[in-house]
Amino acid sequence: MTLDDLKARIDAIEEGYEFFLAYAAQGLAGDQAGKADEQVRGYLRGFERALDGLAEAFRAHLPGGETGGRADAGASDATDAVLEVLRRDADASRALLRLVAAQGAVSSQLIDNLNASIHIRALLTDVFVLGEMVGV
């Protein structure tokens, strides 16, 4: 995976979250969402797709990874540990994204609660820290 591919995943996550913040602020009940409901579902799907294999995508660009160069054993162990955290956070976030997308109507309140999820926030923090480390 290229660095540009990884950046595209990060962008999809960030854009989704930013859209969710704006959607939550609209105060739409599920039955009022209409066309906005279609939009939010698109961002839910894009965010979810970006999570698939995200840890492996980062690994390729971190020290000791596929293209990240050689790392000492301590750095390699630390990289493995943080990527496992990222996998868990991505799995938890993916479960929430799927649950929200499976609803008949997606209200602003539901998206606001998704935004507030500790799993989504932890994932964003993981992505921002690792993104800084790989330069994206």
Side-chain angles (χ1 to χ4, degrees), residues 38-103:
E38 293 173 32
Q39 266 189 304
V40 77
R41 288 177 191 283
Y43 280 100
L44 288 164
R45 285 188 301 273
F47 195 130
E48 182 185 344
R49 278 191 306 270
L51 298 179
D52 187 36
L54 185 62
E56 291 72 24
F58 270 110
R59 175 176 295 289
H61 301 285
L62 288 168
E66 196 174 291
T67 61
R70 187 171 170 87
D72 65 38
S76 182
D77 290 347
T79 298
D80 290 346
V82 79
L83 291 175
E84 183 54 37
V85 169
L86 175 60
R87 276 187 204 90
R88 287 193 309 264
D89 291 340
D91 287 346
S93 296
R94 186 180 300 112
L96 283 169
L97 292 161
R98 287 179 178 165
L99 179 65
V100 170
Q103 302 311 299

Side-chain angles (χ1 to χ4, degrees), residues 19 83 106:
F19 180 85
L83 291 175
V106 181

Side-chain angles (χ1 to χ4, degrees), residues 105-135:
V106 181
S107 68
S108 290
Q109 184 62 49
L110 182 56
I111 292 296
D112 192 39
N113 291 332
L114 176 68
N115 290 341
S117 161
I118 193 70
H119 303 295
I120 297 291
R121 291 180 179 263
L123 173 81
L124 292 171
T125 302
D126 298 343
V127 168
F128 296 151
V129 168
L130 292 169
E132 185 67 27
M133 290 177 68
V134 299

Side-chain angles (χ1 to χ4, degrees), residues 1-48:
M1 168 156 305
T2 69
L3 200 56
D4 286 341
D5 293 332
L6 177 58
K7 180 160 179 19
R9 286 173 182 254
I10 294 169
D11 288 347
I13 292 166
E14 289 178 356
E15 289 168 8
Y17 185 70
E18 289 170 6
F19 180 85
F20 298 157
L21 290 173
Y23 188 86
Q26 292 178 30
L28 300 172
D31 60 346
Q32 297 174 320
K35 185 173 177 146
D37 186 79
E38 293 173 32
Q39 266 189 304
V40 77
R41 288 177 191 283
Y43 280 100
L44 288 164
R45 285 188 301 273
F47 195 130
E48 182 185 344

